[in-house]
Amino acid sequence: MQEIPNYFDTVNVHNYDAYISNLTRKVRRWMNGTVRANSQLWVGEWGSYEISYGDLS
C-alpha cells in the first residue's frame, strides 16, 4: 500500500479466524499510514477452515 498506492482503490482481505476483528483492525492500521486510509476495506471471505465453512455462527 505504501509502494504502489495508485494501482488499487480498495483493499480486500480473506480472514479465516473465528474472530475476524483482529485482522480487520490490523489491516485498517496498515491502511491508515497510506493514501488509502479512507478507502473501502472488504472482507471477501471469512470463516474458519479449522471448524467448517458452513457452520460458523
Side-chain angles (χ1 to χ4, degrees), residues 23-53:
L23 179 65
T24 304
R25 290 172 193 257
K26 179 188 274 188
V27 173
R28 182 52 78 180
R29 284 192 304 269
W30 292 340
M31 291 171 67
N32 283 339
T34 72
V35 298
R36 294 291 154 227
N38 295 317
S39 294
Q40 293 181 6
L41 171 57
W42 292 35
V43 179
E45 289 187 22
W46 66 91
S48 177
Y49 61 88
E50 296 174 352
I51 302 169
S52 171
Y53 287 114

